[in-house]
Amino acid sequence: MTASGPPERRAGEGRQDDSPLIRAFFEKRENLILFLAARTRSMAAAEDLVQDLYLRLATQTPAAEVKSPVALLYRMAANLLVDQVRSDQRSSRRSAQWRIETRASLGGEDVVDETPADEALIARERVRQLAAAVADLPPQMGRAFRLHKLEGRSQAETAEAMGVSRKMVEAHIQAAVRQLSKRLRS
Amino acid sequence: MTSIAVHDDRTPDDGAMAEAGAWVARLQRSEVGEADGLAFEAWLDAAPGNRGAYRRAVAIWQEFEANAEAVLAELEPLAQPIPIRRKPVRGWWVGGAGVALAAGLAVAVAPALMVQPLTQTFVTGKGQHQHVKLADGSVIDLNAETRLSVTLTRGERKVVLGDGEAIFDVAADKARPFTVAAADHLVRVVGTQFDVRNRQGGLTVTVARGKVQVRPLTAAVAGRSFLLTPGERLAVAAGGAEELKAVDPQETFSWRAGRLVYRDQPLGEVVADLNRQFVDQIEIGDPELAKLPITGVIVLDDPRAVTQRLSLMLPVRSVPSDRGLVLLRK
């Protein structure tokens, strides 16, 4: 891997700090974003999380020498996933609900003024495509995808609701992602 | 050159797509860790098509995440109804355990009756954790040996925490403040994530998100009012001494993931924590030993393994007793 350039989205991040951990961070930044992206709503959200991780690195005084900087980076990234991402997603999903509800209560009139009508049309068509692709999944796979992905349950909760093992849920999700990516072009 | 801008536009082959799907699924596990990260890292560079395949899978995945509600609305309802939290919940009587109640009463209940508070009590024993979802979307994780009651009304959300510890992930609702009464103090929030621990008369409140107010429960209780922000922990000792300090909230929250994190904690307190997590009880054979400070992470898998790890951190050894184990000086 070649070292990547300075972080893209934000200016003002110095590289004068030459600690091995910071160096490893810049080298692995893109991979860390991809790692976190599996649990965020967008690439930008994953980049924000990686930015948080950088701030944590840059402000913490490292305890002695770090044996494996890359392992530590992934450990920190995983910790972000365990506690933060889930709850953030939950709250953002709640605010999405709120938006939907507000809109519905205004008598079906589209009040989202920043979205031009044709874009809204395209978005609606895309939602229909997404839904159709889910509806075409084999029943158990579709059910697992729905419970876990769309309703936001954990794999364990999905397994419980379906009466199957967690491993089975993961296998369904894997197959669903593969099938959906094949069918839908983003 | 930066590698970030490089996109692989070729259609990824089926094998790479299948592996990408497996990675997206694996990273949804609730216990994703460093090992997953390193394996993922290795996989990304293992074949030229992997990165592109993963980007594509993750883009679809995120698109569903961002459109989850809209896609659900478009889909037919599932044949077998499952109580879900998707519907905007207005009152306390819908969702979670309340669903059965609603199903039976919904039509007959007059609005006046709906405001009558429903109090639920949750109790955990040794080694038990409980994950509770409230009708308002808030989530409470109870640590072992914890007792708390929850009352949801239209105007407020009230928790009384007896002896114990819990993490609160509070759904934002400006109209209904969320309060936790514990050890002569009242913790008041709107929407946030925080941990309250009330053990042996000492109270600690640790905040991960949002703002939390902690004040004495009544005017008769001495003490000041605090406004805590993320990364702050307030400790009020049994004698009333208050201490505010900066902490990593995730360390405090780690018990939920089966880990206890300590910084210079006396062995006596660590053992008291462990004895709440396991039925097998640990005794300390020598009072001097109880004062030894511990710094480290204890994974709560099995009492024998835990004491074994303790003996690596400290000059102690363990011998079996009729209740469990006794720790002795090495």
Side-chain angles (χ1 to χ4, degrees), chain A residues 28 30-31 34 37-39 74-75 83 90 93 126 146 149 151 153 157 166 170 178, chain B residues 14 25 27-29 31 34 41 51 54-55 61-63 65 76 82 84 133 169 250:
Chain A
K28 299 299 181 193
E30 188 210 348
N31 292 356
L34 291 177
R39 293 268 282 269
Y74 276 100
R75 188 154 68 239
D83 293 296
R90 269 203 301 270
R93 189 165 292 183
R126 180 62 177 172
R146 236 175 121 142
K149 184 66 201 167
E151 294 181 7
R153 295 171 193 241
E157 289 165 340
R166 227 178 51 167
E170 194 173 307
R178 179 186 182 184
Chain B
D14 225 33
L27 294 178
Q28 307 309 313
R29 291 178 191 169
E31 72 287 8
E34 164 190 337
E41 164 91 22
R51 207 168 272 271
Y54 179 80
R55 275 189 181 280
W61 187 253
Q62 289 180 340
E63 205 180 350
E65 178 67 33
E76 297 284 316
I82 290 171
I84 52 171
K133 280 180 197 152
D169 196 341
Q250 298 320 329

Side-chain angles (χ1 to χ4, degrees), chain B residues 229-249:
Chain B
T229 54
E232 285 185 333
R233 170 194 291 163
L234 174 70
V236 184
E242 295 153 340
E243 188 195 13
L244 185 65
K245 65 178 180 182
V247 296
D248 179 353

